[in-house]
Amino acid sequence: MNDAQTAAEAKIRPIRKSDIMAVANIIRDVMTEFGAVGCGYSINDAEVDDMYTAYSPEGSEFYVLELGGEILGCGGFAPLTDGDKEVCELRKMYFLPQLRGTGMGRILLKLCLEKANLCGYRRCYLETMDGMEQARKLYELNGFKYLDKPMGNTGHTSCGTWMVKDL
């Protein structure tokens, strides 16, 4: 399947309660693939086990990317913990290998930023790992700027890359 075909057939939709296990598996698989296990990584966040409930409050949204009836990616946003009320955090944006490089990351990122803006956020913050080069490139190409230190209090002390974008 080529990238254009993937983009034409993929569907991005809000997470459903029935997606909980598939999303948790994607997050754990991708984080393990990149060695992001142990203290200070989001793989240990309690919300991983129920992203549907975690992103139900107002000001939070979470999406899955479905292709051929299978969930292959996810991502969303929520208020930045202990941060300015006008700042959201892009969270748990992960894709299985077969979806990477297809342009779907750009599409999901754009949707998250547009929805965050509609929720009243003026800036979007994210944390990622130095080794997630494709993700960092995606964020750079979409206007995110590097920061010298983290914002808020996410608890992800093992992430070494912090970025922010004005919405």
Side-chain angles (χ1 to χ4, degrees):
M1 181 177 296
N2 65 41
D3 294 351
Q5 189 176 7
T6 299
E9 295 178 11
K11 178 171 124 180
I12 296 174
R13 61 169 174 78
I15 190 171
R16 297 178 189 143
K17 196 168 190 129
S18 59
D19 300 328
I20 290 172
M21 186 173 290
V23 169
N25 287 338
I26 288 171
I27 293 167
R28 289 189 174 106
D29 288 350
V30 172
M31 298 221 48
T32 300
E33 175 188 348
F34 284 91
V37 295
C39 187
Y41 290 109
S42 64
I43 193 171
N44 300 310
D45 293 351
E47 69 182 27
V48 171
D49 289 321
D50 187 357
M51 299 296 283
Y52 174 80
T53 301
Y55 288 77
S56 324
E58 191 172 325
S60 302
E61 296 191 25
F62 200 81
Y63 301 94
V64 297
L65 202 145
E66 194 174 42
L67 183 62
E70 184 179 1
I71 296 172
L72 300 176
C74 59
F77 65 90
L80 176 62
T81 305
D82 294 336
D84 184 308
K85 288 188 291 188
E86 292 188 342
V87 179
C88 69
E89 180 186 7
L90 185 69
R91 295 184 182 173
K92 311 284 191 302
M93 191 160 141
Y94 298 113
F95 295 128
L96 293 178
Q98 61 266 42
L99 204 58
R100 295 178 199 152
T102 63
M104 295 309 303
R106 181 182 45 79
I107 294 168
L108 180 56
L109 177 61
K110 182 179 181 206
L111 174 66
C112 286
L113 297 175
E114 287 172 357
K115 294 290 188 172
N117 192 347
L118 290 174
C119 285
Y121 295 110
R122 298 295 160 244
R123 298 174 85 198
C124 183
Y125 169 75
L126 67 83
E127 297 174 333
T128 190
M129 296 174 39
D130 297 341
M132 291 184 159
E133 294 174 18
Q134 267 187 296
R136 285 195 351 259
K137 187 72 165 173
L138 170 69
Y139 303 138
E140 288 173 13
L141 290 172
N142 285 277
F144 280 84
K145 304 294 181 205
Y146 288 95
L147 297 170
D148 294 329
K149 60 183 180 177
M151 294 173 67
N153 184 19
T154 66
H156 304 148
T157 56
S158 295
C159 288
T161 300
W162 315 284
M163 303 176 88
V164 71
K165 174 184 173 65
D166 291 332
L167 300 178

